[in-house]
Amino acid sequence: MYNIDTIVNKIKSKNKLTIGVDIDNVLFHIPIVEHINEVFDTNYTYEDQSDWDFTNFPEHIRQEAFAAFKTSEFMCSTKPFWNNYCTLRDWKLAGHTLYAITRRSVNLMSDTGRQLDRHYPNIFKDFIFVTPDDSKARWLKYVSADLHIDDWDVEDSVAAGIPTWLITNDKTKYNHKFRSNTNLYQASSLEHVKLDHTKWQS
């Protein structure tokens, strides 16, 4: 008779992974700079957003960004990145288990579920909302994640021993400070993430 450890080891022996995937700026582009420019008639670029918390912006712009992040009309109408669906579909067909994990405001939970169903139907086993005071690593460990993919919450998963990919590109200057972390795998988009388990052993 199988116990849970036997089942887990059997799954892992076949390289079937459990993968946690961040939502914002990994699954969906969050056009916050475009939103700011539209509201305030400014000409900011993503090069100007050097801090994830917008501390280098004027306070009224920072507050508008935070307000938009809590608004379903803005957050849950965002568009998926090109080829993400095909990448995730292929991972699922290969037998991997996928969880969407986010720090979105909890008032967006229902609309986020519908957004995921609309753009990534039948891809995720579940989606997880993590509160500001909580750690994504705790939830990743709870679902026995073998891999984490994120644009920001990467240090806690690395510290927890979970192989972690940083999504970093010309629209994520706020995370370029993480690029020097040699414990992170890095890719410009989800489709460039490699699920080569063997190299983690080297």
Side-chain angles (χ1 to χ4, degrees), residues 30-200:
I30 306 301
I32 190 61
V33 171
E34 293 88 337
H35 173 76
I36 288 170
N37 287 337
E38 182 179 351
V39 171
F40 296 106
D41 194 25
T42 51
N43 294 293
Y44 289 108
T45 69
Y46 283 94
E47 188 70 18
D48 297 312
Q49 191 193 352
S50 59
D51 181 74
W52 184 85
D53 216 16
F54 285 86
T55 54
N56 62 313
F57 280 73
E59 184 60 22
H60 67 286
I61 290 179
R62 183 170 179 264
Q63 291 302 321
E64 174 61 33
F66 287 163
F69 290 151
K70 295 181 179 180
T71 304
S72 178
E73 290 78 9
F74 176 71
M75 294 297 290
C76 299
S77 64
T78 53
K79 304 301 181 186
F81 287 106
W82 173 254
N83 215 36
N84 271 2
Y85 175 79
C86 295
T87 299
L88 295 171
R89 176 204 60 200
D90 290 349
W91 291 354
K92 184 172 182 182
L93 288 173
H96 305 306
T97 301
L98 305 169
Y99 288 89
I101 184 166
T102 184
R103 286 194 186 275
R104 282 187 177 187
S105 179
V106 293
N107 67 292
L108 304 178
M109 189 175 295
S110 295
D111 286 340
T112 295
R114 286 187 281 271
Q115 183 183 24
L116 290 170
D117 286 342
R118 183 164 61 251
H119 294 288
Y120 299 102
N122 303 312
I123 292 294
F124 294 101
K125 181 173 182 178
D126 203 352
F127 63 95
I128 300 167
F129 270 63
V130 180
T131 62
D133 297 329
D134 205 351
S135 165
K136 280 190 179 180
R138 184 174 77 86
W139 288 100
L140 290 163
K141 290 171 74 174
Y142 178 79
V143 300
S144 300
D146 301 289
L147 180 66
H148 178 214
I149 305 167
D150 209 304
D151 69 310
W152 182 255
D153 278 300
V154 292
E155 293 180 306
D156 57 346
S157 55
V158 166
I162 302 168
T164 301
W165 281 81
L166 174 70
I167 300 301
T168 183
N169 52 58
D170 60 356
K171 290 188 175 180
T172 66
K173 186 179 179 183
Y174 56 83
N175 70 20
H176 288 191
K177 64 184 179 181
F178 295 140
R179 290 181 171 184
S180 61
N181 187 337
T182 57
N183 293 314
L184 287 169
Y185 302 99
Q186 299 179 36
S188 60
S189 65
L190 191 64
E191 68 173 316
H192 293 108
V193 171
K194 305 299 182 186
L195 304 185
D196 181 4
H197 188 74
T198 58
K199 73 177 180 179
W200 302 348

Side-chain angles (χ1 to χ4, degrees), residues 3-16:
N3 60 31
I4 190 66
D5 290 333
T6 303
I7 295 171
V8 169
N9 289 335
K10 185 176 180 181
I11 291 172
K12 289 182 183 283
S13 71
K14 295 182 179 179
N15 289 331
K16 306 303 183 190

